[in-house]
Amino acid sequence: MCSSDLLWLVVILVMAVGAFGHLALRLVGGRIGLPLVGFVSGFISSIATISAMGDRSREMPTLRTAAVAGAVLSSFSTILQTGLILAAISPATFQALLIPLIFGGVAVLLYGAVLTMSELHHPVVEAHQITQSFSVKTALVMAAVIGVVLVISAGLNAWFGQTGLVLASAVAGLADAHAPTMSVASLVSTHKLMAVNAAMPVLAALSVNAISKVIAAAASGGAAFAWQIVPSLVVQIAALWLGWILF
């Protein structure tokens, strides 16, 4: 897959996921509450979802645990979407990261499920207050960011090898975990990188992205909200790396 095809695929995937999530929220409404909203919104942006959940937690402290559950499940969406992206762009990279993604996904899903079960009795929230469908502009901006990351990643990989690629992916992960994931998968699909060497950059991006999520949680919901998010992220990242180390 060439770079231009990849970027158009990004635009299509982002718009499709955004439209599906928006439709699901409109159909279901707030009947299931913040955890479902967090899961669906996480496909659009986990960091933005965590910020929205933090705001909701600050406004309605009685729903803090439900908001935390929504934030945690948005991180599961990140893992699930990462797998879908890898499967679409580079099946070989997907196979190399399948076990780590399963470990990380199951760990954070169980964490979020426990929180959700404990909060089913809370009042529901209208979904349209939390998220909106992705616009064409948003999809194009994300594709542009991925294009820049792709160029930088290719350059660092050529100049500094694996170390440079890991560094570039980690830095890009501060803003978005999917951009470096797509870039690395593209390098594998164009035979510029071996699939076995793609795991470390993707895991680095996901790990550093967790730092941004903590910052977003603290900025929106305060220290109390952030400290409830931290354990889920620690569990998720630890499970990802454990899956990679063991398999």
Side-chain angles (χ1 to χ4, degrees), residues 91-139:
T93 308
F94 174 71
Q95 288 295 327
L97 279 163
L98 180 59
I99 299 301
L101 290 176
I102 290 176
F103 270 50
V106 170
V108 76
L109 178 60
L110 291 175
Y111 196 106
V114 171
L115 291 172
T116 301
M117 293 301 294
S118 68
E119 288 298 306
L120 288 179
H121 64 281
H122 276 293
V124 295
V125 178
E126 292 300 323
H128 69 270
Q129 296 177 354
I130 302 295
T131 186
Q132 296 179 351
S133 179
F134 246 126
S135 65
V136 175
K137 179 181 178 181
T138 304

Side-chain angles (χ1 to χ4, degrees), residues 45-67:
S45 172
S46 181
I47 292 177
T49 299
I50 289 174
S51 294
M53 292 296 167
D55 289 336
R56 181 62 57 183
S57 173
R58 191 187 292 272
E59 293 171 3
M60 302 179 67
T62 57
L63 290 181
R64 175 176 294 167
T65 302

